[in-house]
Amino acid sequence: MRAGPSQEEVRRQNLGALLRYVHVHGATTRTELTSTLGLNRSTIGALTADLAAAGLVREGAPRETGRAGRPSLVVRPESDRVYAYALSIGVDQLRAARVGLGGRLLDQRGMTRPRGLGIVETVPLLAAFVKEMHESVPLDSVYVGGGVAVAGMVRREDGMVRLSPNTGWSDEPVADVLSAQLGWDRPFAVGNVADLSALAEHVRGVAVDSDNLIYVYGDVGIGAGIIAGGRPLSGHGGYGGEVGHMAVNPAGQRCGCGSRGCWESEIGEHALLRAAGRERLSGPDAVLTVVDAAARGDAMAQAAVRQVGDWLGFGVANLVNIFNPDTVIFGGTLRHVYIASAAQVRSRLNAMALAACREHVRLRTPKLGDDAALLGAAELAFEQLLSDPLDAAP
Amino acid sequence: MRAGPSQEEVRRQNLGALLRYVHVHGATTRTELTSTLGLNRSTIGALTADLAAAGLVREGAPRETGRAGRPSLVVRPESDRVYAYALSIGVDQLRAARVGLGGRLLDQRGMTRPRGLGIVETVPLLAAFVKEMHESVPLDSVYVGGGVAVAGMVRREDGMVRLSPNTGWSDEPVADVLSAQLGWDRPFAVGNVADLSALAEHVRGVAVDSDNLIYVYGDVGIGAGIIAGGRPLSGHGGYGGEVGHMAVNPAGQRCGCGSRGCWESEIGEHALLRAAGRERLSGPDAVLTVVDAAARGDAMAQAAVRQVGDWLGFGVANLVNIFNPDTVIFGGTLRHVYIASAAQVRSRLNAMALAACREHVRLRTPKLGDDAALLGAAELAFEQLLSDPLDAAP
């Protein structure tokens, strides 16, 4: 029950709205800003001047439009100057990027992460990437913050990684360790990889026109990033979206979490490899091998893909009934599994989801691919700047 | 991406915030309003004067506080004067109430609903209740709108009841039929009974301090009202929360929705009565008889309650993993089933929900009892007035 804002708060809100608009949409004419934000030309002019003075946007002539008349000036985010560091700790990959305002990847590093590598060994590798990229940052650049995507449960309050069963971590203060390694004051914000992938696809990916989306991310583990009514669903502590531990099969396998028949046990990497008779293998390449073998007609691989696809559809139908989303996105290695088993998924959805809940739902693969987690981590890092540009600008 | 509001919008926002505060909290001192809303005394005075002139609040001396010094004036909602009609179409009950601003039940009517009664027969009964109550409304009263809670899936856009399997309705324009019966212009807002019960318990019930709650409502059917991050989760079309059709038992019974092993088939009225060997009975009284028999030591009833309680906990564990709520409320006849089987529910929750997701969750019974749906329907009716008091006041 907040009261309306003061004059100064309104100005800050307007600055944030304008900066966020060009951050999301890129170069935008003053005319479009005027109509989209519902402010008059002189207000847009004043706001743009303030943001330009702070080095966050610049104005310039548009590209040639071919139309007659004086063209409207174009406002662009300072993507080459204003940047964040975005890191991602996946089960199999470590990645780091320097991301410019507007979501431009300016620089990046990455390596395969050997499964089982602890936080003590992981964080220095990421810190080294950051230091390396930092050396070639142009002199007049402005660092606004950092974000980390982690394949684990992240406490919203302080970014503590509570549990990351598939990296083997529990109660790890990743952001603190990272800041200590770098010797930087400004803390890194931490989020879950599925949550941040959902955010990125919502801001600049396949779900920009969607306000109710579920991004199901899968590799060894399964988790979802959920956006409901246009806002990320985080839950009380920040742990919402643990759909991998929705029990779907009371007669199913024991799950690593201690329960039985979790969705993760039926559709995760192990389930596919086991069904395909390749339980000794692991990792995304092994999953791809099964999907490829199925495409080439290998009967056992086909049966495995069908079985996992059937359970994939089973769980998606549940989520469609619970959330009534307009978009479901399949990311991580689930992307490949979904493409190979779309018929099973659709069939389960039709049989199990209520007509009203599924009538507008679109099943999609990510537009941003594996960059989604990094771009989402960058959004986390930019958030403070976008909420209050002049206060947060260093 | 909205720009900040104009001066006039800020005033309207402030009027709404003040009115909403006294609507929710009742009589409030000017001092408390000043500090809670973060506005200065003169602004609070001006806003109160505007709302009082519109007949929405009144100021007066507080009750004797026993403290020295001049007491702060108290602002009260005009509960006896400003009112809404709230209706509820349950599987077994039809109810109608006149509800004053501030959530006070001023008048009410109700009757048992014979199962199978169609919309053509139901709506005139409700309209008759409204007409009857309307005759004794004091002359200077102000009607602000009406709301209807329906045990069915309600399209957000226009209040169309898409499917109400347990009343046997499909695609029924309840609000239109009701308005036509009454000959009133002002349309009734329609919502799902679980959604509105959740809203009421959030605004003035057991979950006022909870921003992430799940209200599981059960009778023949099972549905949930979900509030995530302080806002109702409605989904793309308004159908979110159909947790009764989350499949939990692939080997389970065929469900009325066409799927198999839905949560509803395992914990709904039929499941309990079947397990207790009383499948010929139906209705809330039959459910209570089983719960009572179990309490008295009837072995078959005890086994039935344990079995249903076990499945109740199974589904709640799934919802806790998916939403990370701080509060789960059991309403309708599930209230009694939950109380009788709390040990099974808690045991499943401990075995199946992730520690981080469940560590802060409280399991609760409703504070508002069966009035929750009516009070929620009233909230729906008051919403426009609370968003923009002077524009919406008639």
Side-chain angles (χ1 to χ4, degrees):
Chain A
M1 220 150 315
R2 278 195 70 233
S6 69
Q7 287 271 74
E8 175 57 20
E9 284 169 332
V10 169
R11 178 169 158 273
R12 285 162 184 258
Q13 246 175 276
N14 286 340
L15 286 165
L18 199 163
L19 186 61
R20 194 180 291 269
Y21 195 87
V22 299
H23 169 67
V24 171
H25 295 89
T28 308
T29 64
R30 277 205 189 187
T31 309
E32 185 179 335
L33 289 170
T34 305
S35 66
T36 309
L37 300 179
L39 297 168
N40 61 41
R41 288 186 69 82
S42 66
T43 304
I44 293 292
L47 295 169
T48 304
D50 285 350
L51 292 172
L56 300 171
V57 304
R58 75 195 133 85
E59 282 197 290
R63 299 222 174 81
E64 194 53 63
T65 62
R67 292 200 202 141
R70 199 179 68 166
S72 180
L73 283 176
V74 159
V75 183
R76 292 187 172 81
E78 283 278 16
S79 297
D80 293 328
R81 243 191 112 243
V82 180
Y83 70 96
Y85 283 115
L87 312 177
S88 142
I89 306 176
V91 175
D92 299 296
Q93 286 277 320
L94 295 179
R95 293 186 66 192
R98 198 163 70 84
V99 181
L101 191 64
R104 189 183 300 169
L105 283 175
L106 300 170
D107 196 358
Q108 57 178 313
R109 301 285 187 280
M111 63 175 287
T112 299
R113 174 183 176 276
R115 292 191 179 179
L117 201 67
I119 192 173
V120 181
E121 298 89 31
T122 301
V123 170
L125 298 170
L126 286 172
F129 284 152
V130 171
K131 281 179 187 159
E132 210 178 291
M133 290 189 286
H134 209 60
E135 276 165 21
S136 57
V137 170
L139 270 184
D140 67 338
S141 297
V142 180
Y143 172 63
V144 297
V148 192
V150 180
M153 301 175 76
V154 179
R155 185 159 64 197
R156 183 179 38 200
E157 189 184 336
D158 57 3
M160 172 75 89
V161 178
R162 288 294 300 283
L163 182 68
S164 175
N166 300 313
T167 56
W169 297 358
S170 167
D171 288 330
E172 302 284 0
V174 170
D176 292 350
V177 178
L178 193 56
S179 296
Q181 282 275 333
L182 288 167
W184 293 5
D185 290 342
R186 202 174 273 233
F188 278 72
V190 186
N192 168 273
V193 62
D195 292 348
L196 295 179
S197 298
L199 180 63
E201 293 287 350
H202 180 54
V203 172
R204 52 183 87 254
V206 73
V208 287
D209 58 348
S210 161
D211 270 345
N212 293 281
L213 73 98
I214 301 176
Y215 186 112
V216 188
Y217 179 90
D219 45 43
V220 182
I222 304 290
I226 295 164
I227 290 180
R231 296 195 321 177
L233 182 136
S234 77
H236 177 73
Y239 313 118
E242 286 293 336
V243 301
H245 300 286
M246 162 174 70
V248 292
N249 185 6
Q253 303 264 336
R254 181 68 62 186
C255 176
C257 75
S259 184
R260 182 181 291 283
C262 289
W263 197 25
E264 181 169 303
S265 311
E266 303 295 344
I267 67 167
E269 177 187 305
H270 293 323
L272 182 74
L273 294 173
R274 196 173 52 237
R278 304 179 190 209
E279 52 266 82
R280 295 200 177 178
L281 301 178
S282 66
D285 290 343
V287 169
L288 274 178
T289 310
V290 174
V291 170
D292 287 346
R296 287 197 316 273
D298 177 313
M300 195 164 181
Q302 283 179 336
V305 168
R306 271 201 307 274
Q307 177 189 318
V308 170
D310 191 50
W311 281 111
L312 181 57
F314 190 105
V316 167
N318 277 358
L319 297 178
V320 165
N321 283 338
I322 294 171
F323 286 100
N324 180 208
D326 47 47
T327 308
V328 177
I329 307 171
F330 300 92
T333 50
L334 268 191
R335 172 201 164 94
H336 308 290
V337 175
Y338 163 68
I339 291 171
S341 66
Q344 278 75 35
V345 174
R346 181 54 76 175
S347 160
R348 274 289 186 187
L349 194 58
N350 290 340
M352 293 177 59
L354 298 163
C357 288
R358 73 173 139 84
E359 66 192 352
H360 296 295
V361 75
R362 303 168 300 184
L363 306 183
R364 292 281 184 273
T365 53
K367 180 177 168 191
L368 307 171
D370 292 340
D371 289 343
L374 279 182
L375 291 172
E379 291 303 320
L380 212 57
F382 285 125
E383 189 48 44
Q384 208 190 331
L385 178 73
L386 297 172
S387 303
D388 196 348
L390 301 194
D391 192 58
Chain B
M1 220 147 318
R2 278 194 68 230
S6 68
Q7 287 272 74
E8 175 56 21
E9 285 168 332
V10 169
R11 180 170 156 273
R12 284 164 184 259
Q13 246 175 277
N14 286 340
L15 286 165
L18 198 163
L19 186 61
R20 195 181 290 270
Y21 195 88
V22 299
H23 168 67
V24 171
H25 296 89
T28 308
T29 63
R30 278 204 187 187
T31 309
E32 185 178 335
L33 289 170
T34 305
S35 66
T36 309
L37 300 179
L39 297 168
N40 62 40
R41 291 187 67 83
S42 66
T43 304
I44 292 291
L47 295 169
T48 303
D50 286 348
L51 292 172
L56 299 171
V57 304
R58 78 196 131 84
E59 283 198 289
R63 299 221 174 82
E64 194 53 61
T65 61
R67 293 201 201 140
R70 200 180 67 166
S72 180
L73 281 177
V74 159
V75 183
R76 294 187 170 83
E78 282 280 15
S79 297
D80 294 328
R81 241 191 113 242
V82 181
Y83 71 96
Y85 283 115
L87 312 177
S88 144
I89 305 176
V91 175
D92 298 296
Q93 286 276 321
L94 295 179
R95 293 185 67 191
R98 197 163 72 82
V99 181
L101 189 65
R104 188 183 301 168
L105 283 175
L106 300 171
D107 196 357
Q108 56 177 314
R109 302 283 187 282
M111 62 175 287
T112 301
R113 174 182 176 277
R115 290 192 179 177
L117 201 68
I119 191 174
V120 181
E121 298 89 30
T122 302
V123 170
L125 297 170
L126 286 172
F129 284 153
V130 172
K131 282 179 186 160
E132 211 178 289
M133 290 189 287
H134 209 60
E135 276 164 22
S136 57
V137 171
L139 269 184
D140 67 336
S141 298
V142 179
Y143 172 63
V144 297
V148 192
V150 180
M153 299 175 77
V154 179
R155 184 158 66 198
R156 185 180 37 202
E157 192 183 333
D158 57 2
M160 173 75 88
V161 178
R162 289 295 300 284
L163 183 68
S164 175
N166 300 313
T167 57
W169 298 358
S170 167
D171 288 330
E172 304 282 0
V174 170
D176 293 350
V177 178
L178 193 58
S179 296
Q181 282 275 333
L182 289 168
W184 293 5
D185 290 343
R186 201 175 271 235
F188 278 72
V190 186
N192 169 272
V193 61
D195 292 348
L196 295 179
S197 298
L199 180 63
E201 293 287 350
H202 181 53
V203 172
R204 52 183 87 255
V206 72
V208 288
D209 57 348
S210 161
D211 270 346
N212 294 281
L213 72 99
I214 301 177
Y215 185 113
V216 188
Y217 179 90
D219 45 42
V220 182
I222 303 290
I226 295 164
I227 290 180
R231 295 195 323 175
L233 181 137
S234 78
H236 177 73
Y239 313 119
E242 287 293 335
V243 300
H245 301 286
M246 162 174 69
V248 291
N249 186 6
Q253 304 266 336
R254 180 69 62 187
C255 175
C257 75
S259 183
R260 182 182 291 282
C262 290
W263 198 26
E264 182 168 303
S265 311
E266 303 295 343
I267 66 166
E269 178 187 306
H270 294 325
L272 182 74
L273 294 173
R274 196 173 51 239
R278 304 180 190 207
E279 52 266 81
R280 296 203 175 177
L281 301 178
S282 68
D285 289 344
V287 170
L288 273 178
T289 310
V290 174
V291 171
D292 287 347
R296 285 197 318 273
D298 176 315
M300 195 164 182
Q302 282 178 338
V305 167
R306 271 200 307 272
Q307 178 190 316
V308 170
D310 191 49
W311 281 111
L312 181 58
F314 190 105
V316 167
N318 277 358
L319 296 178
V320 165
N321 282 339
I322 294 169
F323 286 100
N324 181 208
D326 48 46
T327 308
V328 178
I329 307 171
F330 301 91
T333 50
L334 268 191
R335 170 201 165 95
H336 307 291
V337 175
Y338 163 66
I339 292 172
S341 65
Q344 278 75 34
V345 174
R346 181 54 76 177
S347 161
R348 273 289 185 185
L349 194 59
N350 289 342
M352 294 177 58
L354 298 162
C357 288
R358 73 175 139 82
E359 65 192 351
H360 296 295
V361 74
R362 302 167 303 183
L363 307 183
R364 291 283 184 271
T365 54
K367 179 176 168 193
L368 307 172
D370 292 338
D371 289 343
L374 280 181
L375 291 171
E379 291 304 320
L380 212 56
F382 284 125
E383 190 47 44
Q384 209 191 331
L385 177 74
L386 298 173
S387 303
D388 197 348
L390 301 194
D391 193 58

